[in-house]
Amino acid sequence: MLIFPTRPLSFRKSFHFPHQFCSKTVMSTTTTATMHSSVSPSRESHEVSSSGEAGISVEEWQGWGTTSPIPAMVTQVVDDLKLLQKDSDSDMIFGGNHGKLSGDFKVQEDKKHRATYQSLGDSETKLQFFSARQIACRVLGSRGYLCQKCWLPSEDCMCSKLTSCPLWRRVRFWLYMHPKDFLRQNNTGKLLWQVFGIQAATLCLYGIAEHEEMMWDALKLAGKDKVWCLYPNKNAPAKSVKDSMAELSFAHVECPPETTDGGHSLNFILIDGTWSNSGAMFSRLKDRYELMWGDELPCITLNTGASLMHKLRPQPSWDRTCTAAAAIGLLDELHDLTNFVSYGLDKQAKAIEDAVEVLLEALTARRLRMGRSITRKQRHNRNIL
């Protein structure tokens, strides 16, 4: 999540909550739970059978929205889980929708992974192990349950309602995502690559070495003057989009359409995680930028504010916005500059707005069907004006 001065986004479509819903039976290999509007649902669970292959193929891995090979440590974690499953004669059972282990296997795996974590010698290796374990469990726990494209349960898939839109080829988004937001159903960062494609909006998972190296290799190719982070850095003077971009000349930026190496792209890093996790993520980005270029990571502060997702996804305050809303705000503010006005960025912002509405509608319909609240929890009312 990001925090910016509040200016409500003007979504052009009217949104209506569904008025009718019916009971739904959720099937799994371990339980069957009937959901009614007046009853809180049981946690959904499904099982990775010990008799089947629990390994992750490249095709499956990349199907979740990444272009990278399978990270080595993710593969190692999966192998360790398979070995523990075999030795313990227990099945891997995942409960809920965040890839959390449950049952007897969870007890044994919890002891083992805590011991492994404590045995690691340095903080970097511990971070990589933490991230790899989170991601491995989420992939295995979501298999056959979530749609790989939209990260919603297959019965709620919204892919057919999304419309793709080409992003101006000189802009590239990097979704620097915390592992706990990976495969999260109400994550909005995923909408960027669903709409713009994975080359224009690229996933980079925090703490995954292969992902981070891929991103920094591309940023190095682009050069330090074409890299910005959308983050309100309180330890440096805030720069607006206008401050950062109004004087930018595109005489040296434009290149033939067939050029695809990214060396001429304007790269914007979006921190995709909860506000409590964003500080450590930003610090890691800042340190790597300084190591590479010996300078402070340039940050951009937007004039955007609360998005529609505040209806369903609680935030510490209304002035903290979701990742998709930050991208919308950036594109809108860029479009307002004379040197960007001819690139259709307003239409590209509108495409993400439409996608947010589709996601909100899908999540709302699911909550109604499961008998859950469709309104945001009122917290920190002193911050809501």
Side-chain angles (χ1 to χ4, degrees), residues 191-234:
L191 298 175
L192 271 68
W193 67 75
Q194 284 187 280
V195 172
F196 296 142
I198 57 177
Q199 298 302 327
T202 305
L203 173 63
C204 176
L205 289 164
Y206 170 69
I208 297 299
E210 292 87 343
H211 273 216
E212 293 181 328
E213 289 305 316
M214 176 182 67
M215 180 176 74
W216 286 107
D217 285 348
L219 298 182
K220 184 177 181 180
L221 179 63
K224 63 179 291 187
D225 60 332
K226 299 189 186 72
V227 178
W228 297 267
C229 182
L230 273 67
Y231 191 79
N233 184 6
K234 296 180 179 179

mmCIF file of all heavy atoms in Angstrom, residues 191-234:
data_model
loop_
_atom_site.group_PDB
_atom_site.id
_atom_site.type_symbol
_atom_site.label_atom_id
_atom_site.label_comp_id
_atom_site.label_asym_id
_atom_site.label_seq_id
_atom_site.Cartn_x
_atom_site.Cartn_y
_atom_site.Cartn_z
ATOM 1 N N LEU A 191 -3.519 -6.552 -11.475
ATOM 2 C CA LEU A 191 -4.330 -5.987 -12.555
ATOM 3 C C LEU A 191 -3.462 -5.315 -13.609
ATOM 4 O O LEU A 191 -3.839 -5.262 -14.779
ATOM 5 C CB LEU A 191 -5.327 -4.977 -11.993
ATOM 6 C CG LEU A 191 -6.368 -5.526 -11.008
ATOM 7 C CD1 LEU A 191 -7.204 -4.394 -10.432
ATOM 8 C CD2 LEU A 191 -7.260 -6.562 -11.683
ATOM 9 N N LEU A 192 -2.303 -4.813 -13.206
ATOM 10 C CA LEU A 192 -1.459 -4.100 -14.156
ATOM 11 C C LEU A 192 -0.957 -5.020 -15.256
ATOM 12 O O LEU A 192 -0.984 -4.667 -16.433
ATOM 13 C CB LEU A 192 -0.286 -3.407 -13.443
ATOM 14 C CG LEU A 192 -0.582 -1.984 -12.959
ATOM 15 C CD1 LEU A 192 -1.600 -1.996 -11.840
ATOM 16 C CD2 LEU A 192 0.695 -1.280 -12.511
ATOM 17 N N TRP A 193 -0.477 -6.227 -14.867
ATOM 18 C CA TRP A 193 -0.009 -7.108 -15.947
ATOM 19 C C TRP A 193 -1.163 -7.823 -16.633
ATOM 20 O O TRP A 193 -1.032 -8.242 -17.782
ATOM 21 C CB TRP A 193 1.069 -8.081 -15.467
ATOM 22 C CG TRP A 193 0.680 -9.132 -14.498
ATOM 23 C CD1 TRP A 193 -0.037 -10.267 -14.754
ATOM 24 C CD2 TRP A 193 1.021 -9.187 -13.107
ATOM 25 N NE1 TRP A 193 -0.172 -11.017 -13.612
ATOM 26 C CE2 TRP A 193 0.474 -10.393 -12.585
ATOM 27 C CE3 TRP A 193 1.747 -8.362 -12.256
ATOM 28 C CZ2 TRP A 193 0.635 -10.764 -11.259
ATOM 29 C CZ3 TRP A 193 1.890 -8.742 -10.934
ATOM 30 C CH2 TRP A 193 1.340 -9.918 -10.454
ATOM 31 N N GLN A 194 -2.302 -7.956 -15.957
ATOM 32 C CA GLN A 194 -3.461 -8.513 -16.641
ATOM 33 C C GLN A 194 -3.951 -7.592 -17.752
ATOM 34 O O GLN A 194 -4.404 -8.050 -18.793
ATOM 35 C CB GLN A 194 -4.597 -8.757 -15.654
ATOM 36 C CG GLN A 194 -4.405 -9.974 -14.766
ATOM 37 C CD GLN A 194 -5.642 -10.262 -13.939
ATOM 38 O OE1 GLN A 194 -5.873 -9.638 -12.915
ATOM 39 N NE2 GLN A 194 -6.436 -11.205 -14.405
ATOM 40 N N VAL A 195 -3.852 -6.290 -17.529
ATOM 41 C CA VAL A 195 -4.323 -5.314 -18.515
ATOM 42 C C VAL A 195 -3.224 -4.958 -19.508
ATOM 43 O O VAL A 195 -3.448 -4.929 -20.719
ATOM 44 C CB VAL A 195 -4.840 -4.045 -17.807
ATOM 45 C CG1 VAL A 195 -5.163 -2.943 -18.827
ATOM 46 C CG2 VAL A 195 -6.079 -4.362 -16.986
ATOM 47 N N PHE A 196 -2.014 -4.683 -19.017
ATOM 48 C CA PHE A 196 -0.927 -4.181 -19.866
ATOM 49 C C PHE A 196 -0.004 -5.273 -20.390
ATOM 50 O O PHE A 196 0.745 -5.049 -21.343
ATOM 51 C CB PHE A 196 -0.083 -3.159 -19.107
ATOM 52 C CG PHE A 196 -0.821 -1.908 -18.707
ATOM 53 C CD1 PHE A 196 -0.575 -1.307 -17.481
ATOM 54 C CD2 PHE A 196 -1.755 -1.330 -19.553
ATOM 55 C CE1 PHE A 196 -1.256 -0.146 -17.106
ATOM 56 C CE2 PHE A 196 -2.441 -0.175 -19.189
ATOM 57 C CZ PHE A 196 -2.183 0.418 -17.964
ATOM 58 N N GLY A 197 -0.018 -6.458 -19.779
ATOM 59 C CA GLY A 197 0.889 -7.529 -20.177
ATOM 60 C C GLY A 197 2.112 -7.580 -19.273
ATOM 61 O O GLY A 197 2.514 -6.584 -18.675
ATOM 62 N N ILE A 198 2.752 -8.753 -19.209
ATOM 63 C CA ILE A 198 3.833 -8.964 -18.253
ATOM 64 C C ILE A 198 5.141 -8.299 -18.653
ATOM 65 O O ILE A 198 6.050 -8.184 -17.825
ATOM 66 C CB ILE A 198 4.081 -10.476 -18.016
ATOM 67 C CG1 ILE A 198 4.402 -11.187 -19.336
ATOM 68 C CG2 ILE A 198 2.884 -11.114 -17.342
ATOM 69 C CD1 ILE A 198 4.734 -12.659 -19.157
ATOM 70 N N GLN A 199 5.271 -7.854 -19.907
ATOM 71 C CA GLN A 199 6.467 -7.112 -20.298
ATOM 72 C C GLN A 199 6.359 -5.647 -19.905
ATOM 73 O O GLN A 199 7.371 -4.993 -19.626
ATOM 74 C CB GLN A 199 6.704 -7.249 -21.810
ATOM 75 C CG GLN A 199 6.955 -8.659 -22.293
ATOM 76 C CD GLN A 199 8.161 -9.309 -21.618
ATOM 77 O OE1 GLN A 199 9.137 -8.642 -21.279
ATOM 78 N NE2 GLN A 199 8.098 -10.622 -21.427
ATOM 79 N N ALA A 200 5.147 -5.116 -19.867
ATOM 80 C CA ALA A 200 4.940 -3.712 -19.496
ATOM 81 C C ALA A 200 4.788 -3.539 -17.993
ATOM 82 O O ALA A 200 5.114 -2.473 -17.449
ATOM 83 C CB ALA A 200 3.690 -3.166 -20.198
ATOM 84 N N ALA A 201 4.297 -4.556 -17.302
ATOM 85 C CA ALA A 201 4.139 -4.527 -15.850
ATOM 86 C C ALA A 201 4.679 -5.852 -15.321
ATOM 87 O O ALA A 201 4.027 -6.890 -15.439
ATOM 88 C CB ALA A 201 2.673 -4.340 -15.462
ATOM 89 N N THR A 202 5.878 -5.800 -14.744
ATOM 90 C CA THR A 202 6.612 -7.015 -14.417
ATOM 91 C C THR A 202 6.628 -7.257 -12.921
ATOM 92 O O THR A 202 6.922 -6.351 -12.136
ATOM 93 C CB THR A 202 8.059 -6.924 -14.945
ATOM 94 O OG1 THR A 202 8.036 -6.651 -16.347
ATOM 95 C CG2 THR A 202 8.807 -8.223 -14.708
ATOM 96 N N LEU A 203 6.330 -8.488 -12.532
ATOM 97 C CA LEU A 203 6.332 -8.879 -11.134
ATOM 98 C C LEU A 203 7.759 -9.099 -10.651
ATOM 99 O O LEU A 203 8.554 -9.790 -11.288
ATOM 100 C CB LEU A 203 5.524 -10.168 -10.959
ATOM 101 C CG LEU A 203 5.539 -10.822 -9.577
ATOM 102 C CD1 LEU A 203 4.907 -9.905 -8.525
ATOM 103 C CD2 LEU A 203 4.832 -12.170 -9.614
ATOM 104 N N CYS A 204 8.086 -8.513 -9.491
ATOM 105 C CA CYS A 204 9.362 -8.755 -8.824
ATOM 106 C C CYS A 204 9.057 -9.047 -7.362
ATOM 107 O O CYS A 204 8.560 -8.179 -6.644
ATOM 108 C CB CYS A 204 10.287 -7.537 -8.952
ATOM 109 S SG CYS A 204 11.857 -7.729 -8.054
ATOM 110 N N LEU A 205 9.351 -10.269 -6.930
ATOM 111 C CA LEU A 205 9.010 -10.694 -5.573
ATOM 112 C C LEU A 205 10.136 -10.354 -4.597
ATOM 113 O O LEU A 205 11.303 -10.710 -4.813
ATOM 114 C CB LEU A 205 8.720 -12.191 -5.548
ATOM 115 C CG LEU A 205 7.408 -12.596 -6.229
ATOM 116 C CD1 LEU A 205 7.385 -14.093 -6.508
ATOM 117 C CD2 LEU A 205 6.211 -12.189 -5.369
ATOM 118 N N TYR A 206 9.768 -9.653 -3.553
ATOM 119 C CA TYR A 206 10.689 -9.221 -2.501
ATOM 120 C C TYR A 206 11.368 -10.430 -1.849
ATOM 121 O O TYR A 206 10.708 -11.374 -1.434
ATOM 122 C CB TYR A 206 9.877 -8.438 -1.466
ATOM 123 C CG TYR A 206 10.555 -8.095 -0.176
ATOM 124 C CD1 TYR A 206 11.593 -7.165 -0.121
ATOM 125 C CD2 TYR A 206 10.124 -8.662 1.026
ATOM 126 C CE1 TYR A 206 12.180 -6.822 1.089
ATOM 127 C CE2 TYR A 206 10.703 -8.323 2.239
ATOM 128 C CZ TYR A 206 11.734 -7.407 2.267
ATOM 129 O OH TYR A 206 12.306 -7.066 3.464
ATOM 130 N N GLY A 207 12.701 -10.403 -1.812
ATOM 131 C CA GLY A 207 13.454 -11.477 -1.185
ATOM 132 C C GLY A 207 13.753 -12.653 -2.089
ATOM 133 O O GLY A 207 14.433 -13.594 -1.661
ATOM 134 N N ILE A 208 13.281 -12.625 -3.323
ATOM 135 C CA ILE A 208 13.574 -13.687 -4.292
ATOM 136 C C ILE A 208 14.718 -13.202 -5.183
ATOM 137 O O ILE A 208 14.550 -12.291 -6.001
ATOM 138 C CB ILE A 208 12.336 -14.046 -5.126
ATOM 139 C CG1 ILE A 208 11.239 -14.601 -4.219
ATOM 140 C CG2 ILE A 208 12.692 -15.050 -6.219
ATOM 141 C CD1 ILE A 208 11.611 -15.872 -3.473
ATOM 142 N N ALA A 209 15.886 -13.800 -5.008
ATOM 143 C CA ALA A 209 17.103 -13.290 -5.638
ATOM 144 C C ALA A 209 16.978 -13.195 -7.157
ATOM 145 O O ALA A 209 17.394 -12.190 -7.763
ATOM 146 C CB ALA A 209 18.287 -14.178 -5.255
ATOM 147 N N GLU A 210 16.422 -14.236 -7.781
ATOM 148 C CA GLU A 210 16.321 -14.233 -9.242
ATOM 149 C C GLU A 210 15.442 -13.083 -9.737
ATOM 150 O O GLU A 210 15.744 -12.451 -10.753
ATOM 151 C CB GLU A 210 15.751 -15.563 -9.732
ATOM 152 C CG GLU A 210 16.673 -16.764 -9.540
ATOM 153 C CD GLU A 210 16.518 -17.428 -8.167
ATOM 154 O OE1 GLU A 210 15.954 -16.802 -7.254
ATOM 155 O OE2 GLU A 210 16.990 -18.568 -8.027
ATOM 156 N N HIS A 211 14.361 -12.800 -9.028
ATOM 157 C CA HIS A 211 13.470 -11.706 -9.420
ATOM 158 C C HIS A 211 14.142 -10.358 -9.240
ATOM 159 O O HIS A 211 14.076 -9.480 -10.110
ATOM 160 C CB HIS A 211 12.186 -11.764 -8.589
ATOM 161 C CG HIS A 211 11.139 -12.638 -9.183
ATOM 162 N ND1 HIS A 211 9.796 -12.354 -9.111
ATOM 163 C CD2 HIS A 211 11.233 -13.800 -9.872
ATOM 164 C CE1 HIS A 211 9.107 -13.299 -9.725
ATOM 165 N NE2 HIS A 211 9.958 -14.190 -10.179
ATOM 166 N N GLU A 212 14.789 -10.174 -8.106
ATOM 167 C CA GLU A 212 15.417 -8.885 -7.832
ATOM 168 C C GLU A 212 16.581 -8.620 -8.783
ATOM 169 O O GLU A 212 16.765 -7.489 -9.247
ATOM 170 C CB GLU A 212 15.867 -8.832 -6.373
ATOM 171 C CG GLU A 212 14.681 -8.829 -5.417
ATOM 172 C CD GLU A 212 15.066 -8.760 -3.954
ATOM 173 O OE1 GLU A 212 16.144 -9.298 -3.608
ATOM 174 O OE2 GLU A 212 14.320 -8.183 -3.169
ATOM 175 N N GLU A 213 17.362 -9.647 -9.097
ATOM 176 C CA GLU A 213 18.467 -9.456 -10.045
ATOM 177 C C GLU A 213 17.938 -9.120 -11.435
ATOM 178 O O GLU A 213 18.515 -8.286 -12.144
ATOM 179 C CB GLU A 213 19.335 -10.719 -10.102
ATOM 180 C CG GLU A 213 20.156 -10.961 -8.850
ATOM 181 C CD GLU A 213 21.032 -9.764 -8.482
ATOM 182 O OE1 GLU A 213 21.669 -9.192 -9.389
ATOM 183 O OE2 GLU A 213 21.067 -9.396 -7.290
ATOM 184 N N MET A 214 16.839 -9.769 -11.842
ATOM 185 C CA MET A 214 16.230 -9.477 -13.134
ATOM 186 C C MET A 214 15.798 -8.013 -13.209
ATOM 187 O O MET A 214 16.038 -7.328 -14.217
ATOM 188 C CB MET A 214 15.024 -10.398 -13.353
ATOM 189 C CG MET A 214 14.232 -10.125 -14.623
ATOM 190 S SD MET A 214 12.784 -11.217 -14.770
ATOM 191 C CE MET A 214 11.772 -10.626 -13.382
ATOM 192 N N MET A 215 15.185 -7.524 -12.142
ATOM 193 C CA MET A 215 14.747 -6.135 -12.130
ATOM 194 C C MET A 215 15.927 -5.177 -12.163
ATOM 195 O O MET A 215 15.947 -4.229 -12.974
ATOM 196 C CB MET A 215 13.892 -5.860 -10.894
ATOM 197 C CG MET A 215 13.403 -4.412 -10.808
ATOM 198 S SD MET A 215 12.291 -4.080 -9.409
ATOM 199 C CE MET A 215 13.480 -4.083 -8.050
ATOM 200 N N TRP A 216 16.918 -5.412 -11.322
ATOM 201 C CA TRP A 216 18.041 -4.474 -11.268
ATOM 202 C C TRP A 216 18.893 -4.516 -12.530
ATOM 203 O O TRP A 216 19.472 -3.494 -12.924
ATOM 204 C CB TRP A 216 18.876 -4.737 -10.012
ATOM 205 C CG TRP A 216 18.184 -4.242 -8.781
ATOM 206 C CD1 TRP A 216 17.583 -4.982 -7.806
ATOM 207 C CD2 TRP A 216 17.977 -2.875 -8.421
ATOM 208 N NE1 TRP A 216 17.012 -4.174 -6.856
ATOM 209 C CE2 TRP A 216 17.249 -2.865 -7.204
ATOM 210 C CE3 TRP A 216 18.338 -1.657 -8.988
ATOM 211 C CZ2 TRP A 216 16.879 -1.683 -6.559
ATOM 212 C CZ3 TRP A 216 17.968 -0.487 -8.353
ATOM 213 C CH2 TRP A 216 17.250 -0.493 -7.155
ATOM 214 N N ASP A 217 18.970 -5.660 -13.189
ATOM 215 C CA ASP A 217 19.667 -5.718 -14.485
ATOM 216 C C ASP A 217 18.977 -4.817 -15.502
ATOM 217 O O ASP A 217 19.624 -4.096 -16.268
ATOM 218 C CB ASP A 217 19.719 -7.151 -15.006
ATOM 219 C CG ASP A 217 20.736 -8.015 -14.266
ATOM 220 O OD1 ASP A 217 21.556 -7.455 -13.512
ATOM 221 O OD2 ASP A 217 20.690 -9.250 -14.422
ATOM 222 N N ALA A 218 17.643 -4.861 -15.513
ATOM 223 C CA ALA A 218 16.874 -4.017 -16.443
ATOM 224 C C ALA A 218 17.009 -2.539 -16.079
ATOM 225 O O ALA A 218 17.121 -1.682 -16.962
ATOM 226 C CB ALA A 218 15.406 -4.435 -16.431
ATOM 227 N N LEU A 219 16.989 -2.232 -14.778
ATOM 228 C CA LEU A 219 17.126 -0.843 -14.354
ATOM 229 C C LEU A 219 18.514 -0.300 -14.671
ATOM 230 O O LEU A 219 18.668 0.864 -15.061
ATOM 231 C CB LEU A 219 16.842 -0.722 -12.855
ATOM 232 C CG LEU A 219 15.426 -1.112 -12.401
ATOM 233 C CD1 LEU A 219 15.274 -0.901 -10.900
ATOM 234 C CD2 LEU A 219 14.367 -0.331 -13.165
ATOM 235 N N LYS A 220 19.523 -1.142 -14.518
ATOM 236 C CA LYS A 220 20.885 -0.725 -14.863
ATOM 237 C C LYS A 220 20.989 -0.416 -16.347
ATOM 238 O O LYS A 220 21.650 0.558 -16.757
ATOM 239 C CB LYS A 220 21.878 -1.826 -14.473
ATOM 240 C CG LYS A 220 23.336 -1.441 -14.712
ATOM 241 C CD LYS A 220 24.259 -2.556 -14.244
ATOM 242 C CE LYS A 220 25.727 -2.165 -14.451
ATOM 243 N NZ LYS A 220 26.636 -3.262 -13.981
ATOM 244 N N LEU A 221 20.335 -1.219 -17.158
ATOM 245 C CA LEU A 221 20.334 -0.987 -18.600
ATOM 246 C C LEU A 221 19.643 0.327 -18.936
ATOM 247 O O LEU A 221 20.086 1.080 -19.806
ATOM 248 C CB LEU A 221 19.629 -2.144 -19.311
ATOM 249 C CG LEU A 221 19.519 -2.068 -20.835
ATOM 250 C CD1 LEU A 221 20.906 -2.076 -21.476
ATOM 251 C CD2 LEU A 221 18.689 -3.239 -21.369
ATOM 252 N N ALA A 222 18.560 0.622 -18.237
ATOM 253 C CA ALA A 222 17.827 1.865 -18.481
ATOM 254 C C ALA A 222 18.616 3.084 -18.034
ATOM 255 O O ALA A 222 18.571 4.142 -18.671
ATOM 256 C CB ALA A 222 16.479 1.812 -17.763
ATOM 257 N N GLY A 223 19.342 2.959 -16.919
ATOM 258 C CA GLY A 223 20.113 4.081 -16.403
ATOM 259 C C GLY A 223 19.413 4.775 -15.255
ATOM 260 O O GLY A 223 18.179 4.790 -15.166
ATOM 261 N N LYS A 224 20.184 5.374 -14.354
ATOM 262 C CA LYS A 224 19.635 5.951 -13.130
ATOM 263 C C LYS A 224 18.661 7.090 -13.382
ATOM 264 O O LYS A 224 17.793 7.360 -12.548
ATOM 265 C CB LYS A 224 20.771 6.452 -12.228
ATOM 266 C CG LYS A 224 21.609 7.567 -12.818
ATOM 267 C CD LYS A 224 22.695 8.031 -11.855
ATOM 268 C CE LYS A 224 22.120 8.757 -10.660
ATOM 269 N NZ LYS A 224 23.186 9.363 -9.811
ATOM 270 N N ASP A 225 18.772 7.758 -14.525
ATOM 271 C CA ASP A 225 17.876 8.882 -14.810
ATOM 272 C C ASP A 225 16.521 8.435 -15.341
ATOM 273 O O ASP A 225 15.661 9.275 -15.628
ATOM 274 C CB ASP A 225 18.527 9.843 -15.808
ATOM 275 C CG ASP A 225 18.851 9.189 -17.140
ATOM 276 O OD1 ASP A 225 19.086 7.959 -17.159
ATOM 277 O OD2 ASP A 225 18.869 9.892 -18.164
ATOM 278 N N LYS A 226 16.308 7.117 -15.441
ATOM 279 C CA LYS A 226 15.019 6.603 -15.908
ATOM 280 C C LYS A 226 14.396 5.646 -14.903
ATOM 281 O O LYS A 226 13.641 4.736 -15.264
ATOM 282 C CB LYS A 226 15.183 5.914 -17.265
ATOM 283 C CG LYS A 226 15.694 6.821 -18.382
ATOM 284 C CD LYS A 226 15.623 6.121 -19.724
ATOM 285 C CE LYS A 226 16.272 6.956 -20.808
ATOM 286 N NZ LYS A 226 17.751 6.978 -20.683
ATOM 287 N N VAL A 227 14.697 5.847 -13.622
ATOM 288 C CA VAL A 227 14.184 4.981 -12.561
ATOM 289 C C VAL A 227 13.596 5.844 -11.451
ATOM 290 O O VAL A 227 14.256 6.775 -10.960
ATOM 291 C CB VAL A 227 15.297 4.086 -11.979
ATOM 292 C CG1 VAL A 227 14.750 3.230 -10.831
ATOM 293 C CG2 VAL A 227 15.910 3.203 -13.058
ATOM 294 N N TRP A 228 12.348 5.542 -11.057
ATOM 295 C CA TRP A 228 11.683 6.236 -9.959
ATOM 296 C C TRP A 228 10.902 5.218 -9.135
ATOM 297 O O TRP A 228 10.466 4.190 -9.641
ATOM 298 C CB TRP A 228 10.691 7.289 -10.468
ATOM 299 C CG TRP A 228 11.331 8.394 -11.255
ATOM 300 C CD1 TRP A 228 11.770 9.596 -10.786
ATOM 301 C CD2 TRP A 228 11.593 8.399 -12.668
ATOM 302 N NE1 TRP A 228 12.290 10.347 -11.818
ATOM 303 C CE2 TRP A 228 12.191 9.640 -12.985
ATOM 304 C CE3 TRP A 228 11.387 7.474 -13.700
ATOM 305 C CZ2 TRP A 228 12.579 9.980 -14.273
ATOM 306 C CZ3 TRP A 228 11.776 7.799 -14.986
ATOM 307 C CH2 TRP A 228 12.370 9.040 -15.260
ATOM 308 N N CYS A 229 10.731 5.541 -7.860
ATOM 309 C CA CYS A 229 9.909 4.722 -6.976
ATOM 310 C C CYS A 229 8.721 5.554 -6.519
ATOM 311 O O CYS A 229 8.890 6.711 -6.113
ATOM 312 C CB CYS A 229 10.727 4.265 -5.767
ATOM 313 S SG CYS A 229 9.829 3.190 -4.623
ATOM 314 N N LEU A 230 7.520 4.993 -6.607
ATOM 315 C CA LEU A 230 6.327 5.681 -6.125
ATOM 316 C C LEU A 230 6.194 5.382 -4.641
ATOM 317 O O LEU A 230 5.636 4.365 -4.238
ATOM 318 C CB LEU A 230 5.083 5.221 -6.888
ATOM 319 C CG LEU A 230 4.786 5.985 -8.188
ATOM 320 C CD1 LEU A 230 5.849 5.727 -9.229
ATOM 321 C CD2 LEU A 230 3.420 5.615 -8.713
ATOM 322 N N TYR A 231 6.745 6.294 -3.842
ATOM 323 C CA TYR A 231 6.757 6.079 -2.397
ATOM 324 C C TYR A 231 6.983 7.417 -1.703
ATOM 325 O O TYR A 231 7.838 8.202 -2.128
ATOM 326 C CB TYR A 231 7.873 5.105 -2.011
ATOM 327 C CG TYR A 231 7.791 4.613 -0.584
ATOM 328 C CD1 TYR A 231 6.909 3.602 -0.223
ATOM 329 C CD2 TYR A 231 8.621 5.164 0.399
ATOM 330 C CE1 TYR A 231 6.839 3.148 1.084
ATOM 331 C CE2 TYR A 231 8.555 4.710 1.713
ATOM 332 C CZ TYR A 231 7.667 3.698 2.049
ATOM 333 O OH TYR A 231 7.596 3.263 3.348
ATOM 334 N N PRO A 232 6.242 7.691 -0.643
ATOM 335 C CA PRO A 232 6.401 8.961 0.072
ATOM 336 C C PRO A 232 7.580 8.925 1.033
ATOM 337 O O PRO A 232 7.422 8.697 2.236
ATOM 338 C CB PRO A 232 5.076 9.094 0.824
ATOM 339 C CG PRO A 232 4.663 7.678 1.083
ATOM 340 C CD PRO A 232 5.125 6.889 -0.113
ATOM 341 N N ASN A 233 8.784 9.109 0.522
ATOM 342 C CA ASN A 233 9.991 9.063 1.334
ATOM 343 C C ASN A 233 10.048 10.281 2.259
ATOM 344 O O ASN A 233 10.287 11.404 1.817
ATOM 345 C CB ASN A 233 11.228 9.033 0.426
ATOM 346 C CG ASN A 233 12.523 8.885 1.206
ATOM 347 O OD1 ASN A 233 12.512 8.700 2.428
ATOM 348 N ND2 ASN A 233 13.641 8.962 0.506
ATOM 349 N N LYS A 234 9.831 10.043 3.544
ATOM 350 C CA LYS A 234 9.782 11.150 4.502
ATOM 351 C C LYS A 234 11.165 11.708 4.828
ATOM 352 O O LYS A 234 11.281 12.766 5.444
ATOM 353 C CB LYS A 234 9.092 10.680 5.789
ATOM 354 C CG LYS A 234 7.638 10.293 5.585
ATOM 355 C CD LYS A 234 7.001 9.844 6.886
ATOM 356 C CE LYS A 234 5.534 9.478 6.678
ATOM 357 N NZ LYS A 234 4.886 9.021 7.933
#
